[in-house]
Amino acid sequence: EAQVTQNPRYLITVTGKKLTVTCSQNMNHEYMSWYRQDPGLGLRQIYYSMNVEVTDKGDVPEGYKVSRKEKRNFPLILESPSPNQTSLYFCASRKSGLAPLGTDTQYFGPGTRLTVL
Amino acid sequence: GQNIDQPTEMTATEGAIVQINCTYQTSGFNGLFWYQQHAGEAPTFLSYNVLDGLEEKGRFSSFLSRSKGYSYLLLKELQMKDSASYLCAVRGNWAGNNRKLIWGLGTSLAVNP
């Protein structure tokens, strides 16, 4: 089954304790990205990756890091989480960031609800 | 700037028809998407429009007018399970290496019996 998986699904942590949210896709997609979703602010892109070893900042990258060592995996790293990073996080993938036409549908992982105390 | 507007909330009755509108102002246009998102879950793809006109997909249809910067999602024969948030997203121009999606805030639809 084609899917994007994220772990953990729920996490409560404390300020300053480094954490990693994993993301994996089995569709051989080149393009992956991380979003956070907050009430009244909608989906905001944190980081994206066009392919292996190619990553770049989205709209709200402060306080986050990513890596793309393999095509299928795109972990999100919070080196020193703060309460303002409490949010619902989604990993997403699509075939290619270069696809000019076609639906190039974006598939989302199930989400990670993070609470930073 | 880039902006997508949708109504915040809508209410409809089971079995009825509802139309959710979306207007956009973006730098460039390369397609408009509609996603459905149930509370606490991931958005799931519903429809895609890149040319003007109506795309029909079962109970759901989506319309696009590029000259007006306008789209709507039409849901027919509403069911209780259609209660969800409906997100409109536009794929704009390249921004650096990123053909990212610009997202609306979503329309929360409540279907009542």
Side-chain angles (χ1 to χ4, degrees):
Chain A
E1 180 191 354
Q3 60 181 354
V4 180
T5 57
Q6 290 178 231
N7 281 293
R9 295 289 313 281
Y10 302 90
L11 180 60
I12 300 174
T13 189
V14 295
T15 299
K17 186 176 181 182
K18 181 179 178 179
L19 66 93
T20 299
V21 184
T22 64
C23 172
S24 184
Q25 51 93 4
N26 63 1
M27 295 169 278
N28 202 35
H29 285 170
E30 293 177 353
Y31 186 98
M32 299 183 73
S33 57
W34 275 102
Y35 291 90
R36 60 178 291 174
Q37 187 175 36
D38 303 286
L41 296 176
L43 281 164
R44 294 180 292 168
Q45 191 183 53
I46 303 170
Y47 267 92
Y48 67 95
S49 171
M50 299 284 284
N51 212 325
V52 175
E53 301 291 3
V54 182
T55 63
D56 209 344
K57 298 176 181 178
D59 298 317
V60 288
E62 294 77 22
Y64 304 95
K65 285 174 59 176
V66 293
S67 68
R68 187 91 181 273
K69 293 185 170 59
E70 307 163 283
K71 199 170 189 178
R72 62 184 293 128
N73 296 325
F74 190 46
L76 179 70
I77 303 154
L78 285 72
E79 295 269 2
S80 184
S82 62
N84 64 12
Q85 293 178 298
T86 293
S87 186
L88 179 59
Y89 291 86
F90 290 105
C91 179
S93 76
R94 66 183 201 237
K95 186 176 181 182
S96 171
L98 296 174
L101 293 174
T103 64
D104 197 21
T105 304
Q106 185 153 260
Y107 296 87
F108 285 84
T112 296
R113 187 166 290 282
L114 173 66
T115 302
V116 183
L117 302 174
Chain B
Q2 306 198 89
N3 195 49
I4 295 182
D5 286 316
Q6 309 177 231
T8 305
E9 294 178 337
M10 298 184 72
T11 303
T13 304
E14 194 175 14
I17 299 172
V18 71
Q19 178 175 311
I20 302 174
N21 295 326
C22 170
T23 58
Y24 62 89
Q25 291 176 307
T26 58
S27 53
F29 179 84
N30 289 282
L32 185 144
F33 296 79
W34 283 97
Y35 278 79
Q36 180 190 59
Q37 185 178 24
H38 286 99
E41 297 183 8
T44 55
F45 171 75
L46 284 179
S47 70
Y48 169 78
N49 295 72
V50 67
L51 300 176
D52 291 350
L54 189 68
E55 294 281 341
E56 297 189 76
K57 210 175 183 180
R59 293 190 299 115
F60 294 4
S61 304
S62 56
F63 172 83
L64 174 68
S65 169
R66 288 171 296 170
S67 62
K68 295 182 179 176
Y70 168 69
S71 172
Y72 67 72
L73 181 68
L74 193 71
L75 291 75
K76 303 175 187 174
E77 301 169 14
L78 280 171
Q79 302 175 11
M80 299 296 289
K81 67 178 183 180
D82 297 329
S83 293
S85 185
Y86 291 86
L87 308 176
C88 174
V90 171
R91 185 165 60 194
N93 275 339
W94 287 103
N97 286 322
N98 193 14
R99 179 72 70 83
K100 71 176 183 180
L101 294 176
I102 302 148
W103 294 87
L105 296 183
T107 299
S108 180
L109 174 66
V111 179
N112 298 320

